Amino acid sequence: MTRPERVDPAPSNFPSGTLGSRSFVVRGMPRRVPGGKLVSGAPVLLLTPRDREVLRDIYRFGCLSAVQVADRHWPDSSSAKTALNRLGQLCGAGYLLRRPIGHREDGAYLLTPTGRAELGLPARHARPDPRAAASLRHRLVVADVADWLCARRYRGGDPEWVSEVDVYDGRLWLARRETGRGRERGALLVPDGVLVLRGGERGWHLAIEVELHQKASRLYDAKQAWYAVQFEEGALDGCLWLCAGAGRAAPIRAAARRVAPGTADLVEAEPLPEGVTAY
């Protein structure tokens, strides 16, 4: 008769009496093999509800810094040390990956395949790869902009932020032109985020673009033409470009007037607000 496999009890740091007579396998615990040796594994880490909220936030924004995680999930802490310690544990357990973004600067934390699996997400996805340094910095600024916009007071009540990833996941419909055969054509362009404001019985969808580097005129023309389609189809109600430097706003306004003069008044470009970190 084959003896059932013995399951090691939970580690001794559990409060006495909390587990009763039951035994649990804790994620990442070393397993005993014949001979008494331990097979090493990932560090033991029991995820809390707050840990999962951190993972979800990092997924929605592509990446977050330790300071941003601290502000969002440890708002009562006097420093980011608590968040840094927990992020280090999540990295050690394989849920997150830290990418440096500069000398003596806060790093960016990204989800690993293990972190994606914990949230029930597919291992692969078709979204743009956020791991390039320029993309990381851009996404961190977008997260700061989202916090700044959502912290302001609006007549219709608290706003809602729909991130770029949320749009890719289908939380907000965006228009695409159809071919003669009824098929949609064209790339699914996505804003950096959408601020949803309430006004009466409807919601107003304001696209947000964060512009850190000036681009060629043809790129602005293509994006403004795409926004004109969104305005015509009623998918979006306006677009606000927030630019790192006052000189970058003029080409955006010019492209809106040149490409779609009928909807150019729905496009505005302003400098990044004070208080948004320039990573």
Side-chain angles (χ1 to χ4, degrees):
M1 178 177 178
T2 305
R3 296 180 62 184
E5 180 184 359
R6 179 179 178 274
V7 178
D8 290 334
S12 59
N13 59 355
F14 277 88
S16 60
T18 57
L19 300 180
S21 59
R22 299 173 63 189
S23 295
F24 293 79
V25 176
V26 179
R27 191 193 314 264
M29 282 186 62
R31 288 294 196 121
R32 254 180 219 288
V33 297
K37 295 182 180 180
L38 294 177
V39 179
S40 61
V44 176
L45 187 67
L46 298 178
L47 293 182
T48 66
R50 175 155 50 188
D51 292 332
R52 291 187 173 86
E53 287 301 316
V54 169
L55 297 181
R56 289 189 190 96
D57 248 5
I58 291 175
Y59 167 70
R60 289 185 64 228
F61 286 96
C63 65
L64 288 174
S65 69
V67 172
Q68 290 171 335
V69 171
D71 290 343
R72 288 167 174 268
H73 299 282
W74 281 271
D76 298 328
S77 181
S78 59
S79 71
K81 185 175 180 181
T82 302
L84 274 168
N85 290 340
R86 193 58 178 175
L87 288 170
Q89 293 171 347
L90 290 169
C91 288
Y95 296 104
L96 295 177
L97 170 69
R98 181 185 181 276
R99 289 290 304 274
I101 56 174
H103 181 58
R104 294 184 178 179
E105 292 186 41
D106 192 2
Y109 292 85
L110 299 85
L111 273 185
T112 64
T114 300
R116 295 181 62 84
E118 182 64 33
L119 297 180
L121 301 170
R124 294 184 179 181
H125 57 90
R127 300 183 186 93
D129 189 349
R131 290 177 292 180
S135 178
L136 293 177
R137 291 177 183 275
H138 180 265
R139 289 172 183 269
L140 294 177
V141 175
V142 170
D144 270 0
V145 166
D147 287 346
W148 183 83
L149 289 170
C150 290
R152 302 179 70 184
R153 297 182 63 182
Y154 300 91
R155 183 178 300 177
D158 292 338
E160 177 188 358
W161 180 263
V162 181
S163 72
E164 177 190 29
V165 171
D166 293 334
V167 177
Y168 274 116
D169 284 346
R171 284 190 56 192
L172 182 69
W173 175 80
L174 294 176
R176 285 203 283 180
R177 292 295 194 187
E178 292 186 355
T179 64
R181 299 179 180 179
R183 295 182 179 180
E184 292 181 330
R185 66 178 175 84
L188 177 60
L189 300 179
V190 176
D192 290 327
V194 177
L195 187 69
V196 181
L197 304 172
R198 301 297 171 187
E201 296 181 355
R202 64 159 290 183
W204 299 84
H205 297 85
L206 179 65
I208 305 297
E209 293 281 359
V210 174
E211 192 70 3
L212 301 183
H213 307 283
Q214 189 166 328
K215 298 181 176 65
S217 296
R218 60 182 178 81
L219 298 178
Y220 288 132
D221 289 354
K223 198 64 177 282
Q224 297 298 357
W226 180 82
Y227 272 118
V229 173
Q230 305 308 312
F231 301 151
E232 292 171 5
E233 298 291 339
L236 297 170
D237 299 294
C239 179
L240 173 62
W241 294 69
L242 297 172
C243 310
R248 296 190 176 96
I252 295 170
R253 298 193 192 102
R257 292 191 298 267
R258 181 171 58 249
V259 174
T263 57
D265 59 333
L266 299 179
V267 177
E268 187 53 77
E270 300 176 358
L272 277 172
E274 294 183 5
V276 172
T277 305
Y279 291 89

